[in-house]
Amino acid sequence: MERGFTIWFTGLSCSGKTTVSQGVAEELLRRGLNVEVLDGDVVRTNLSKGLGFSKEDRDTNIKRIGFVCKLLSRNGVVAIGAAISPYRATRDYNRKEIGDFVEVYCKSPLDVCIKRDVKGLYKKALAGEITNYTGVSDPYEEPLNPEVVLETDRETEEESVGKVIRKLEELRYIQPAAAAQYSEEEEEKVKKRLADLGYL
Amino acid sequence: MGLFDKLRFKGRRVLVVGLDGVPFSLLKRLSEEGKLPNWTQLMESGSMKRMNSVHPCVSSVAWATYMTGKNPGKHNIYGFVDRNLGSMDVFIPTSRDMAGKTLWEILSQAGKRVVVINVPLTFPPREVNGILISGFLCPNIDKIAHPKELAGVLKEMGYRIDVDAWQARKSLDKFLEDLHLTLDKRIEAMFHFMEREEWDFFQLHIMETDRINHFLWGLWEEGDTQYGPEFIKYYQKIDGILGRISAMLDRDTRLIILSDHGFCGMKKEIFLNHWLQREGWLKFREENPKSVKDIHQESKAYSLIPGRIYVNLAGRESSGSVRFPDEYERIREGVKGGLLGMRDPDSGERIIENVFKREELYHGPHYNEGPDLVAIPHNGYDLKGNLDKKELTYKGPLVGMHTYDDAFLYIKDAEVGTGNNQFGVMDVMPTILKLMGVSSPEDIDGQTLL
């Protein structure tokens, strides 16, 4: 069985967590891994239904997602959590609980996120119609040592996905794509072909 | 194809022939000498310009740049070999390592049907709307195609992935025989799919030109009476193929022919790791090092083919020991200065024409994995990455090498709207997309030439 691990996407609302996490999931599926995505927005409709946005409720939500990620990871699944998870201590709690934990910070300036405002919630928060909205009326604590920082206002989706995949390869959570392309015998064959041409 | 389909495709079809490693200057010369009648005719009805390749100018990097329209800092392909930063194992980058969507993937997404044959760095075949037969990095014909079932058709045809270049070291006659047969089979496959498949975009890649250049260029240049004429004969065969293709195309299909780099005669192979070791930049843990895995942690720099120099950087190379930015810069300056002063021990000629720092060549998310310096040799000196050589130079059976500024681009019935060497291989992709009425992605580096 492959070794499981958790990729944790954190960042402001509309910073690209869902988009990039889906791209990463697709690439990992393509490589034959078992992948499960726990998206904050989706989780709040079932696993964390009824929880609000107070600090306490937010922490409970993140710890629940972390708990499921832990169970999945130890059973060989790549668990992907994608939630604002604004508090550093709670993310670090999950890191400690899970162990094999790759934190991906979707870094995008607040004004860019406000402009994107996919769900129209920033508008409401700025108008005071909703309270406890991260970045507007609630804090967001940036990660201090995330494994990956994605500058989603400057990178394309595919570049961001590539950065996460590379890091996973580098950390040896997944096999580098190249190594997986050839059997030993095939690699020798191709290397010989290159050597015969003076390309090696 | 029905009338309705024909109307749908009107003015939007493109057929590309890639001639690997064929110089602008060679085609011009042979055409002027009257040896390439079809090519001469094509020149009259289109526009051909001399094109820059990419640094380093090898096929995998150049065709990755062509098919993504991006610089290596974005597409992540820097050579035929690279090192795994975690383990320092040397590996062969494949299409899976190439970041970014390819020309044919973008066309597929736009609903166009594509047929792509033999382009370097397309193995393993990534999915397209149509057919993709990958190139010479494919080890086994069963794995060569998308869709997979085509392997059967190709096997039946006797399709050949590549020539056996080792033969050239034993018998040039056998090598030539192989070159002809491989080309014949490639062309047979091309016409097979060209006639049977519906397509909006078709690309055939001829690798054999690069192969013949590597082993016969020098002989032709020196006027060898046996192999000089064989060399010309091979180019005339390709001229005939281009004539056949051109004659088959309707007026609504644009023909594009291009190469990825030029070629020139090779005087000597230069072993940069030997030089780095001699100058005290590189140390090995073993007496006879086999791979970059065997470099000593105290090493400051090492080289991968061709002319790529990497600083042994802590936090990037797992064996890295260079920690501070000022030390990094001091090493780059020192190695650059030394390389520029390097001379051929026999003739006293300078070997290196220029040394680029990575920030002068690359940008993008894979910038950090790229070489810290890229050395560009004077024509005639081919930079190698071997680790176990005890001499700086060597003269072997390889008699041709790549050049940067002598590739070409030809477009039939259109004007390449820029001067010779005012553009590069990365500009071709947006040009093709424009011809086909498909918009270019925003993150590419190339610009349309129309």
Side-chain angles (χ1 to χ4, degrees):
Chain A
M1 190 173 70
E2 292 277 347
R3 174 182 168 198
F5 57 95
T6 293
I7 312 171
W8 191 274
F9 286 84
T10 174
L12 294 170
S13 183
C14 299
S15 61
K17 299 181 297 298
T18 300
T19 309
V20 181
S21 62
Q22 276 169 355
V24 169
E26 279 167 26
E27 173 60 22
L28 296 176
L29 284 167
R30 219 150 54 88
R31 297 191 185 197
L33 295 161
N34 294 319
V35 184
E36 201 60 65
V37 180
L38 290 107
D39 190 277
D41 290 340
V42 181
V43 167
R44 276 186 177 274
T45 65
N46 42 62
L47 182 69
S48 294
K49 200 170 177 178
L51 288 179
F53 292 88
S54 67
K55 179 167 189 313
E56 200 186 349
D57 277 4
R58 281 180 187 274
D59 283 349
T60 306
N61 179 38
I62 296 310
K63 284 181 181 173
R64 280 186 194 171
I65 300 175
F67 178 70
V68 178
C69 287
K70 179 177 158 180
L71 298 185
L72 290 167
S73 294
R74 78 174 183 212
N75 284 290
V77 177
V78 181
I80 301 181
I84 299 173
S85 43
Y87 297 107
R88 197 176 293 141
T90 322
R91 292 192 305 264
D92 287 350
Y93 171 87
N94 280 349
R95 177 187 287 274
K96 211 170 141 205
E97 279 294 302
I98 296 167
D100 289 321
F101 187 88
V102 180
E103 191 173 17
V104 180
Y105 176 26
C106 290
K107 189 178 174 186
S108 178
L110 180 62
D111 57 345
V112 175
C113 297
I114 291 174
K115 247 184 235 160
R116 288 179 185 157
D117 206 7
V118 194
K119 296 166 244 169
L121 294 174
Y122 276 111
K123 200 177 163 198
K124 285 187 181 170
L126 288 165
E129 288 168 36
I130 42 174
T131 53
N132 296 105
Y133 199 75
T134 304
V136 179
S137 44
D138 231 27
Y140 177 78
E141 297 171 2
E142 286 198 346
L144 296 179
N145 286 305
E147 275 73 12
V148 187
V149 179
L150 304 176
E151 297 187 84
T152 58
D153 57 324
R154 295 186 202 166
E155 301 163 4
T156 62
E157 179 193 334
E158 142 200 324
E159 283 168 349
S160 297
V161 170
K163 270 168 93 169
V164 178
I165 296 292
R166 285 260 143 194
K167 180 53 80 177
L168 298 176
E169 288 177 345
E170 221 179 285
L171 295 169
R172 291 296 181 179
Y173 280 112
I174 57 174
Q175 278 259 12
Q181 296 320 310
Y182 299 115
S183 67
E184 256 178 54
E185 195 186 323
E186 287 172 347
E187 186 167 333
E188 283 314 305
K189 196 169 168 183
V190 175
K191 279 188 174 168
K192 185 178 180 304
R193 206 175 273 168
L194 287 167
D196 290 349
L197 290 158
Y199 286 153
L200 214 101
Chain B
M1 198 187 298
L3 179 63
F4 189 74
D5 290 323
K6 274 192 179 158
L7 288 173
R8 183 164 64 87
F9 290 138
K10 198 170 181 184
R12 296 277 165 107
R13 299 212 314 173
V14 166
L15 187 142
V16 179
V17 180
L19 297 177
D20 204 287
V22 173
F24 173 90
S25 55
L26 176 75
L27 290 178
K28 194 161 174 284
R29 176 176 159 182
L30 296 183
S31 174
E32 278 165 9
E33 288 173 4
K35 290 181 175 131
L36 307 176
N38 291 296
W39 187 254
T40 307
Q41 208 178 341
L42 283 170
M43 287 305 96
E44 285 161 14
S45 56
S47 129
M48 173 162 99
K49 293 276 163 67
R50 188 165 167 150
M51 178 168 75
N52 290 332
S53 181
V54 64
H55 293 301
C57 62
V58 292
S59 300
S60 59
V61 188
W63 290 108
T65 302
Y66 160 82
M67 72 180 100
T68 61
K70 293 177 178 176
N71 88 92
K74 288 187 185 168
H75 65 56
N76 193 34
I77 302 299
Y78 289 97
F80 277 122
V81 287
D82 215 318
R83 77 286 187 231
N84 181 306
L85 289 168
S87 63
M88 294 301 280
D89 281 318
V90 166
F91 71 97
I92 299 160
T94 67
S95 67
R96 295 296 297 268
D97 297 284
M98 184 176 62
K101 289 203 172 75
T102 60
L103 170 59
W104 24 96
E105 286 161 1
I106 293 163
L107 290 171
S108 295
Q109 272 184 337
K112 307 282 184 191
R113 195 158 195 278
V114 304
V115 179
V116 178
I117 303 176
N118 196 38
V119 179
L121 219 89
T122 51
F123 176 82
R126 300 189 339 190
E127 202 178 323
V128 291
N129 175 30
I131 289 172
L132 191 147
I133 297 164
S134 60
F136 82 104
L137 293 179
C138 174
N140 179 340
I141 201 160
D142 289 321
K143 294 181 170 183
I144 203 167
H146 166 85
K148 277 185 195 144
E149 302 74 53
L150 285 178
V153 179
L154 292 167
K155 275 200 266 190
E156 213 166 286
M157 236 180 243
Y159 183 81
R160 296 162 84 92
I161 301 174
D162 196 4
V163 293
D164 176 4
W166 183 250
Q167 286 184 114
R169 294 158 201 261
K170 294 188 291 189
S171 158
L172 279 177
D173 293 328
K174 283 234 166 81
F175 176 63
L176 271 166
E177 204 178 292
D178 191 359
L179 272 171
H180 279 282
L181 184 59
T182 307
L183 180 61
D184 292 344
K185 292 293 167 190
R186 191 99 58 222
I187 300 308
E188 187 183 331
M190 177 202 187
F191 285 117
H192 175 92
F193 293 113
M194 209 172 143
E195 286 159 13
R196 283 174 184 74
E197 295 292 326
E198 270 193 22
W199 51 269
D200 303 284
F201 175 86
F202 197 109
Q203 179 153 356
L204 167 78
H205 186 78
I206 297 182
M207 198 72 226
E208 289 67 48
T209 41
D210 175 87
R211 305 300 187 239
I212 195 169
N213 289 355
H214 270 297
F215 293 97
L216 271 79
W217 182 283
L219 296 168
W220 163 70
E221 225 175 25
E222 288 161 13
D224 185 283
T225 51
Q226 188 181 357
Y227 295 107
E230 290 291 344
F231 181 83
I232 297 298
K233 211 166 101 188
Y234 202 76
Y235 272 92
Q236 287 175 321
K237 181 168 183 166
I238 287 167
D239 184 64
I241 293 163
L242 293 177
R244 271 176 75 193
I245 293 171
S246 176
M248 278 180 75
L249 299 181
D250 58 32
R251 269 206 245 156
D252 293 334
T253 307
R254 287 291 165 87
L255 174 65
I256 294 181
I257 310 173
L258 80 155
S259 66
D260 57 333
H261 55 78
F263 240 89
C264 70
M266 192 221 288
K267 290 184 228 170
K268 281 173 184 171
E269 296 174 37
I270 304 293
F271 302 114
L272 284 191
N273 282 316
H274 172 82
W275 179 84
L276 287 167
Q277 191 185 13
R278 205 180 67 190
E279 299 297 311
W281 300 108
L282 176 59
K283 270 187 181 179
F284 294 109
R285 291 185 299 164
E286 312 272 329
E287 202 182 323
N288 290 308
K290 299 256 179 305
S291 85
V292 288
K293 252 184 131 136
D294 297 327
I295 70 170
H296 196 285
Q297 203 172 357
E298 286 170 15
S299 295
K300 303 297 181 199
Y302 62 94
S303 177
L304 293 181
I305 187 171
R308 287 178 284 163
I309 314 271
Y310 296 86
V311 173
N312 191 25
L313 202 57
R316 184 182 65 183
E317 271 76 0
S318 61
S319 61
S321 58
V322 177
R323 292 185 187 283
F324 304 106
D326 57 340
E327 191 190 3
Y328 171 78
E329 205 43 53
R330 188 178 58 74
I331 293 164
R332 290 207 305 175
E333 283 298 332
V335 171
K336 179 177 175 174
L339 285 170
L340 289 170
M342 187 199 281
R343 286 175 187 276
D344 183 331
D346 299 320
S347 67
E349 283 176 75
R350 282 192 194 276
I351 292 173
I352 305 293
E353 186 181 354
N354 203 354
V355 179
F356 288 107
K357 290 185 177 175
R358 62 174 175 169
E359 58 271 29
E360 295 175 85
L361 300 176
Y362 312 125
H363 60 93
H366 300 289
Y367 169 74
N368 196 42
E369 288 110 286
D372 298 296
L373 295 171
V374 180
I376 314 301
H378 282 289
N379 285 355
Y381 294 106
D382 203 10
L383 305 180
K384 300 292 189 191
N386 306 51
L387 295 155
D388 55 350
K389 299 292 176 183
K390 308 294 178 206
E391 301 284 335
L392 177 66
T393 68
Y394 172 69
K395 177 75 187 148
L398 289 158
V399 290
M401 62 172 275
H402 300 181
T403 59
Y404 170 76
D405 63 354
D406 200 12
F408 75 91
L409 173 67
Y410 167 82
I411 308 181
K412 194 163 186 264
D413 300 324
E415 184 60 31
V416 180
T418 183
N420 283 335
N421 294 107
Q422 298 300 305
F423 67 104
V425 70
M426 73 170 64
D427 298 316
V428 183
M429 181 242 231
T431 306
I432 292 171
L433 287 175
K434 188 160 185 205
L435 280 172
M436 297 186 69
V438 174
S439 50
S440 291
E442 280 176 16
D443 62 336
I444 64 166
D445 298 312
Q447 289 178 337
T448 174
L449 300 165
L450 296 169

